């Protein structure tokens, strides 16, 4: 039984702020005269102090903006900065379900030929570990980064013809380990192997009730390097038909692809939904760098 999707997995974490210490410029006269009396420092010191503080504040703003921008644009870097790698590891329990997996997801231009898509969430799996969530070979491939938490939700398209499970695997790895796994997936083509497909989440009483392992038609896996997260999606037909030749989304999206999954647009379903859930993850993580103390 899935939890109420309107609830969060836990309360949001608070943000912390800090002050800036004034800086006194080198070369200022001492604060006492030759008679031991206090000497007014005057406006010169105040001006220099104000300029120094302004520079610190401006620099902090530029750094914060750069971190936020890197997440929103997908640039890789600043893993230890606020709102970056370290902060992302807490999102699974600090962000409400409806923000990670919105009840409705708009996919402007995400369908075949640039058609629009709208996905509606039909089920949210309870947050869990990874036991039983992946086929043995995929579990082995992901083992180097570990499993801290797995979040999953299943969606259907506007016609309820297709179903897609999207997952967020929060790992235990540091930035170098995530980069190493991402490089391995890329160089060895692990994201295209049919024996490394993610498993779907089928929920009883929904249009996805018959969405099992044999119904997997297309999939995508993205190992992030700027966060300890792996984003994946797997799609199939809602009527429960089995698929003999599943195809990775990257291949199904190519011009001229003739498989049933490609012509039905199931590659678009998996890739389009995974992309938008990943964008939401980035926005939520960028928000941890811009929150203000209450």
């Amino acid at each position: 039984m899935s939890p109420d999707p309107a609830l969060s997995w836990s309360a949001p974490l608070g943000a912390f702020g800090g002050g800036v210490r004034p800086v006194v410029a080198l070369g200022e006269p001492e604060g006492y005269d030759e008679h031991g009396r206090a000497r007014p420092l005057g406006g010169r010191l105040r001006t220099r102090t104000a300029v120094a503080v302004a520079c610190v504040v401006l620099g902090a703003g530029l750094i914060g903006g750069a971190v936020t921008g890197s997440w929103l644009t997908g640039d890789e870097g600043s893993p230890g900065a606020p709102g970056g790698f370290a902060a992302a590891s807490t999102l699974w329990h600090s962000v409400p379900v409806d923000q990670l997996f919105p009840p409705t997801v708009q996919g402007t231009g995400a369908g075949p030929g640039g058609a629009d898509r709208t996905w509606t969430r039909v089920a949210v799996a309870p947050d869990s570990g990874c036991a039983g969530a992946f086929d043995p070979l995929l579990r082995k491939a992901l083992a180097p980064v570990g499993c801290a938490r797995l979040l999953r939700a299943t969606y259907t398209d506007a016609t309820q013809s297709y179903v897609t499970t999207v997952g967020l695997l929060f790992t235990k790895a540091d930035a170098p380990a995530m980069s190493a796994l991402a490089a391995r997936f890329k160089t060895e083509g692990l994201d295209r192997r049919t024996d490394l497909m993610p498993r779907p989440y089928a929920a009883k009483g929904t249009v996805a009730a018959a969405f099992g392992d044999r119904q997997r038609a297309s999939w995508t896996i993205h190992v992030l390097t700027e966060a300890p997260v792996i984003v994946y999606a797997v799609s199939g037909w809602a009527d429960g038909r089995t698929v003999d030749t599943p195809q990775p989304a990257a291949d199904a999206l190519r011009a001229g692809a003739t498989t049933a999954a490609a012509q039905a647009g199931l590659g678009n379903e998996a890739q389009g939904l995974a992309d938008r859930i990943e964008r939401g993850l980035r926005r939520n993580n960028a928000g941890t760098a811009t929150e203000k103390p209450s």
Side-chain angles (χ1 to χ4, degrees):
M1 180 176 180
S2 59
D4 184 346
L7 300 177
S8 66
W9 280 298
S10 74
L13 297 176
F16 295 90
V20 178
R21 295 181 62 185
V23 178
V24 178
L26 295 176
E28 279 297 336
E30 296 293 334
Y32 297 89
D33 62 18
E34 65 275 14
H35 301 294
R37 294 174 300 201
R39 173 190 293 145
L41 294 180
R44 188 178 173 190
L45 175 56
R46 289 193 295 270
T47 300
R48 293 190 181 184
T49 300
V51 170
V53 172
C55 289
V56 172
V57 173
L58 177 59
L62 291 174
I63 293 171
V67 171
T68 300
S70 69
W71 261 94
L72 293 177
T73 60
D75 293 339
E76 298 174 3
S78 303
F85 193 96
S89 65
T90 68
L91 294 179
W92 70 267
H93 65 74
S94 64
V95 175
V97 178
D98 284 352
Q99 289 180 226
L100 291 176
F101 298 124
T104 301
V105 177
Q106 298 298 329
T108 303
D116 295 341
R117 279 285 191 267
T118 299
W119 296 285
T120 301
R121 191 184 66 199
V122 298
V124 176
D127 65 291
S128 66
C130 293
F134 301 111
D135 287 346
L137 283 180
L138 180 55
R139 184 171 65 247
K140 182 178 180 180
L142 300 177
V145 295
C147 174
R149 216 66 177 180
L150 177 63
L151 311 182
R152 295 171 293 168
T154 297
Y155 288 78
T156 188
D157 69 308
T159 66
Q160 296 193 352
S161 299
Y162 314 118
V163 284
T164 303
T165 293
V166 61
L168 297 173
L169 168 57
F170 288 79
T171 75
K172 299 178 180 179
D174 57 15
M178 292 300 293
S179 294
L181 184 64
R184 185 185 175 206
F185 262 72
K186 182 177 181 180
T187 57
E188 299 181 22
L190 301 186
D191 56 343
R192 284 180 160 83
R193 285 177 44 170
T194 56
D195 56 354
L196 296 178
M197 279 191 296
R199 284 178 173 170
Y201 173 65
K204 295 180 180 180
T206 72
V207 67
F211 190 23
D213 289 351
R214 297 188 62 195
Q215 284 69 40
R216 293 176 289 185
S218 191
W219 77 98
T220 182
I221 303 176
H222 185 198
V223 181
L224 303 186
T225 56
E226 68 273 39
V229 182
I230 296 171
V231 183
Y232 69 85
V234 56
S235 62
W237 280 275
D239 60 10
R241 73 182 74 176
T242 59
V243 179
D244 295 326
T245 55
Q247 186 177 37
D251 294 341
L253 290 172
R254 289 178 178 172
T258 59
T259 64
Q263 294 191 343
L266 285 167
N268 297 80
E269 297 294 305
Q271 188 67 62
L273 188 54
D275 284 348
R276 282 148 184 83
I277 295 301
E278 182 179 325
R279 292 179 196 176
L281 180 76
R282 294 174 185 276
R283 285 193 297 270
N284 279 301
N285 193 64
T288 66
T290 56
E291 287 178 354
K292 296 180 179 179
S294 58

